[in-house]
Amino acid sequence: MEAAMTGATGLVEEAATLFEEFRNGGRGRIEPLVRLLNPTLWHLARACRLEPTDAEDVVQTAWLRLVDRADTIRDPQTVLAWLGTTVRREAWRVARERGRTLPWEEPDPGTGPRDPGPGPAEALLRDEAQRTLWNHVSRLNPRCQAILRVVSRGGPPDYAALSAALGIPVGSIGPTRGRCLDALRTFLASDPTWSTP
Amino acid sequence: MNENHEQPLDGLDAAILESVAELFDAMDPPPPTLDDGVLFALSLAALDAELATALEENLPALRAVDASPTDSITFTSSALQLMVRSTEDQDGGLRVDGWVTGGGLRVALYADRTAHWATSDAHGRLLWRSIPHGPIRFLLQPDDPEAKPVLTPVVEF
């Protein structure tokens, strides 16, 4: 727990520091911030079911907006949440254009097992433990998969920020994450080939 | 708000979440072009350039439908106009011919984030050879340092 929680706080703190440096030092200094946060923004965009090209575009748009409106962000601690919100809103717009919905907009179908879709993913995973984990993650409903994918990034640790980035009511973040994790834990516990990392 | 249902993460949850993060990084990692693409877009934005508009090209009525595969497009901005036409070059790349309103104007063709600079001749002509296929855009740098550079939208020939 310690490691994960410190990791999450660390990302927000580090982003805040780099964002301050950027604001004080000019546009040329945005690179470290971009490199720090892009993996998280990528996973958020992809969790919104965007195609890879759309996901890249949306992440790019979020950064362009940030640079444009950097002065309007009062608290540097919120920079990750701000970017996350922008990515999600843009993803929403693109998903609508493409006639799709976001996984967490759908009615919560519960966390019960579903048919694991045939995934090209498995072929990509050389690591046995990862294949096992994916077998179970892919049995979760899409909403849970999306939420765990983002939450696991050590994203915004405070629920207000995470709620903003995911567009889920703040009161639902904890319970939803809890239910999804519980379901995954149950699957894993019943799998003798799984050993806790 | 009621955060009573909130369950604290225990060590196992944290370990599982960490594995989930590694799983998605292995399955669907950020593309290697992501960072550079963002930085490139930001550096173009920092130029504070005027965005040119692409005009729907009015193709000559006489042009046959099965004419040789050429593509042309015209961009306009408040002060400048740029027309470009591309044809296949012998080496499999693109030959891009351009005409711009004015001689001695520096114009960059950006392909895959590399700038290929050319200067228009007295007749406003520009030429680029061996340009890789893919999305490209142009940046026009007016002589007048007070004037804003002009950036075109991305096109693909």
Side-chain angles (χ1 to χ4, degrees):
Chain A
M1 170 180 181
E2 279 306 308
M5 295 313 278
T6 322
T9 316
L11 190 63
V12 169
E13 294 286 336
E14 210 179 322
T17 310
L18 291 175
F19 182 55
E20 286 269 63
E21 281 175 17
F22 157 68
R23 281 210 290 207
N24 297 333
R27 285 168 183 267
R29 305 189 61 178
I30 193 121
E31 183 171 346
L33 188 61
V34 170
R35 295 198 188 279
L36 176 73
L37 296 184
N38 259 355
T40 302
L41 299 177
W42 166 258
H43 286 288
L44 176 58
R46 292 283 285 152
C48 295
R49 291 188 185 148
L50 289 186
E51 301 288 323
T53 331
D54 285 339
E56 270 198 86
D57 280 353
V58 161
V59 170
Q60 217 173 75
T61 305
W63 284 107
L64 288 166
R65 295 240 171 98
L66 177 74
V67 167
D68 237 21
R69 293 169 206 179
D71 294 337
T72 65
I73 297 175
R74 288 214 193 124
D75 179 2
Q77 297 276 341
T78 62
V79 68
L80 176 53
W82 194 98
L83 282 164
T85 306
T86 310
V87 164
R88 187 207 10 117
R89 288 200 184 131
E90 272 297 294
W92 215 311
R93 195 185 55 73
V94 174
R96 291 258 152 80
E97 265 173 26
R98 307 266 193 277
R100 296 190 196 139
T101 52
L102 300 189
W104 44 78
E105 282 184 297
E106 290 167 9
D108 187 353
T111 50
R114 57 187 274 275
D115 278 340
E122 280 153 79
L124 284 170
L125 297 174
R126 298 226 174 80
D127 185 286
E128 185 79 27
Q130 285 193 334
R131 272 204 301 273
T132 306
L133 180 59
W134 172 243
N135 279 339
H136 295 296
V137 170
S138 62
R139 289 165 68 198
L140 297 171
N141 65 54
R143 195 174 193 248
C144 272
Q145 287 183 38
I147 286 167
L148 290 184
R149 179 174 188 165
V150 176
V151 170
S152 70
R153 303 310 307 173
D158 62 296
Y159 283 1
L162 199 51
S163 158
L166 288 172
I168 298 180
V170 72
S172 305
I173 297 270
T176 308
R177 183 194 65 181
R179 274 203 306 276
C180 297
L181 254 179
D182 276 353
L184 182 58
R185 273 177 77 148
T186 309
F187 293 158
L188 291 172
S190 64
D191 183 343
T193 66
W194 172 259
S195 56
T196 309
Chain B
M1 73 208 61
N2 181 359
E3 293 190 8
N4 287 343
H5 344 259
E6 199 180 305
Q7 304 163 31
L9 279 179
D10 67 14
L12 181 57
D13 287 331
I16 289 174
L17 280 180
E18 203 168 308
S19 307
V20 168
E22 285 166 13
L23 173 72
F24 280 108
D25 265 340
M27 256 173 43
D28 184 24
T33 51
L34 183 66
D35 288 355
D36 288 345
V38 167
L39 293 169
F40 179 67
L42 290 174
S43 69
L44 285 187
L47 294 172
D48 194 24
E50 178 186 353
L51 273 186
T53 323
L55 288 186
E56 286 295 324
E57 198 58 24
N58 292 321
L59 293 174
L62 287 177
R63 187 171 151 188
V65 179
D66 59 350
S68 64
T70 61
D71 274 308
S72 66
I73 190 163
T74 303
F75 303 102
T76 58
S77 73
S78 56
L80 295 167
Q81 202 166 45
L82 169 72
M83 181 198 165
V84 291
R85 188 173 69 188
S86 88
T87 45
E88 292 289 325
D89 217 338
Q90 293 124 339
D91 61 0
L94 288 175
R95 173 196 166 110
V96 180
D97 287 275
W99 292 267
V100 69
T101 41
L105 201 75
R106 280 172 44 75
V107 180
L109 182 160
Y110 282 99
D112 198 22
R113 295 196 279 278
T114 307
H116 304 267
W117 284 97
T119 305
S120 62
D121 71 10
H123 304 288
R125 278 184 303 213
L126 296 149
L127 176 62
W128 294 271
R129 308 290 301 261
S130 307
I131 297 300
H133 287 263
I136 58 177
R137 72 194 309 180
F138 300 88
L139 177 73
L140 290 77
Q141 195 74 64
D143 264 347
D144 177 1
E146 297 291 300
K148 274 190 175 190
V150 173
L151 189 64
T152 73
V154 177
V155 290
E156 190 158 356
F157 289 126

